[in-house]
Amino acid sequence: MGKIPKSHPRYKSLITREKISKEFKNGIVHETGLIAHGRGEAFDYLIGEKTIPSSMRAAKVAAALFLLAKNPVISINGNVAALSAKECIELAKTIPAKIEVNLFHRTKARVEKIVAMLSKLGAIGIYGVKPDAVIPFIEHDRALCDKNGIYSADVVLVPLEDGDRCEALKKMGKTVITIDLNPLSRTAKTADVTIVDNITRAIPNIRKWVVNFKKNHVSEEELQNIVDSWDNKKNLKEVLSFISKRINSLF
Ligand code: ATP
Ligand code: MG
């Protein structure tokens, strides 16, 4: 990683790529995760590789939902672990929320590697190691989850998630928060709160709001007002409008 000079105009993006590539070699990231990352990068270019105002508002709503939740869970997959393991652990501790390793392309070996990585970074009580429940409406290993983790969660954050699984979680009656750079993905359209931003920026943003709410003793009523005034579809339209305006004003 030391090879990339900080002055390089695409420094952050290159460092992120190196992380994904390194964790692919380590068996943390699945090969399809490389493709998903590329798709994410393309959309990051479109929003200007920084948090746009509507995505900051989505992060605020996510923080409010987390603080109102009885049993919040953060789901971690290979790409999430590669890019934001430390930040997800910090967020989970701040809320507090549970962490579950939950993989689309599940293998015992990959789960164990991700759990080892998270443990090394200080995570305690990681769920998903021995899944003992299934998410209805989806098939095979993709449906496996932890009874005391995602299965019984009321609010679940599923960053960089597949559309089918997001839909199945919604059908279970859960409040679903996602982080997805593609505002057009099925996940983005299905979730209750879609943060269209890079996970590397979105997780610290959610945490900043959680800290801010706690510090200012924001009441449950106020948090509920923030949640109630949220319209995810409207926000996705705003993201698309931001992108089109931005593109039209570039040259
Ligand atoms: P869907 O199944 O929701 O229709 P998809 O099949 O196109 O979407 P998946 O591979 O299932 O995509 O999900 C990964 C999603 O994560 C993609 O929409 C991709 O744009 C997004 N993504 C990839 N890397 C990042 C990142 N670093 N930050 C935020 N989002 C990302
Ligand atoms: Mg998909």
Side-chain angles (χ1 to χ4, degrees):
M1 275 197 209
K3 280 174 284 172
I4 304 166
K6 278 205 166 157
S7 57
H8 193 289
R10 308 216 38 73
Y11 179 77
K12 268 193 196 158
S13 163
L14 293 176
I15 288 290
T16 309
R17 269 192 189 183
E18 286 225 356
K19 278 188 190 164
I20 287 282
S21 145
K22 178 175 154 242
E23 298 308 345
F24 168 67
K25 286 174 199 144
N26 288 340
I28 298 263
V29 168
H30 187 262
E31 60 195 31
T32 58
L34 301 176
I35 299 165
H37 184 73
R39 184 163 47 240
E41 276 188 342
F43 283 98
D44 210 2
Y45 243 95
L46 296 179
I47 62 169
E49 295 176 302
K50 52 178 190 244
T51 302
I52 67 174
S54 54
S55 301
M56 191 50 116
R57 283 199 296 278
K60 182 179 180 181
V61 178
L65 275 171
F66 271 136
L67 290 182
L68 289 169
K70 288 196 177 67
N71 197 1
V73 174
I74 300 174
S75 180
I76 311 263
N77 65 23
N79 284 41
V80 173
L83 299 180
S84 297
K86 189 171 142 269
E87 291 76 11
C88 283
I89 295 167
E90 279 168 2
L91 175 64
K93 284 185 179 165
T94 310
I95 295 169
K98 292 173 182 169
I99 281 182
E100 174 165 338
V101 174
N102 198 289
L103 308 180
F104 185 91
H105 298 282
R106 187 189 174 88
T107 62
K108 198 165 166 274
R110 206 154 68 87
V111 171
E112 280 167 5
K113 279 184 182 168
I114 297 173
V115 168
M117 180 193 206
L118 296 171
S119 304
K120 212 172 145 191
L121 290 168
I124 29 169
I126 304 161
Y127 292 81
V129 183
K130 286 198 183 99
D132 50 2
V134 287
I135 304 168
F137 321 108
I138 42 176
E139 289 165 345
H140 309 301
D141 286 0
R142 299 191 289 146
L144 293 172
C145 69
D146 202 311
K147 207 172 181 178
N148 296 314
I150 289 178
Y151 190 80
S152 51
D154 53 351
V155 173
V156 56
L157 169 63
V158 284
L160 284 53
E161 184 55 276
D162 168 64
D164 270 7
R165 300 211 310 166
C166 180
E167 212 168 291
L169 291 169
K170 276 296 300 165
K171 281 191 196 155
M172 284 176 86
K174 299 189 187 305
T175 300
V176 178
I177 304 165
T178 195
I179 299 167
D180 192 328
L181 276 162
N182 178 3
L184 302 168
S185 79
R186 288 173 310 149
T187 302
K189 290 192 276 190
T190 313
D192 295 285
V193 178
T194 305
I195 306 169
V196 182
D197 203 1
N198 201 308
I199 187 167
T200 56
R201 300 186 295 265
I203 298 281
N205 283 342
I206 302 173
R207 185 165 176 271
K208 263 183 233 158
W209 280 112
V210 172
V211 170
N212 177 300
F213 289 150
K214 285 196 172 195
K215 203 176 75 195
N216 294 303
H217 306 287
V218 175
S219 70
E220 282 199 8
E221 199 187 339
E222 282 173 83
L223 293 174
Q224 194 61 54
N225 284 340
I226 292 170
V227 169
D228 290 345
S229 59
W230 183 249
D231 183 337
N232 205 50
K233 204 170 177 184
K234 185 166 161 255
N235 199 65
L236 287 174
K237 278 188 187 169
E238 276 181 37
V239 173
L240 290 172
S241 153
F242 178 95
I243 291 174
S244 63
K245 275 188 202 140
R246 186 169 177 273
I247 292 174
N248 282 309
S249 64
L250 279 179
F251 301 105

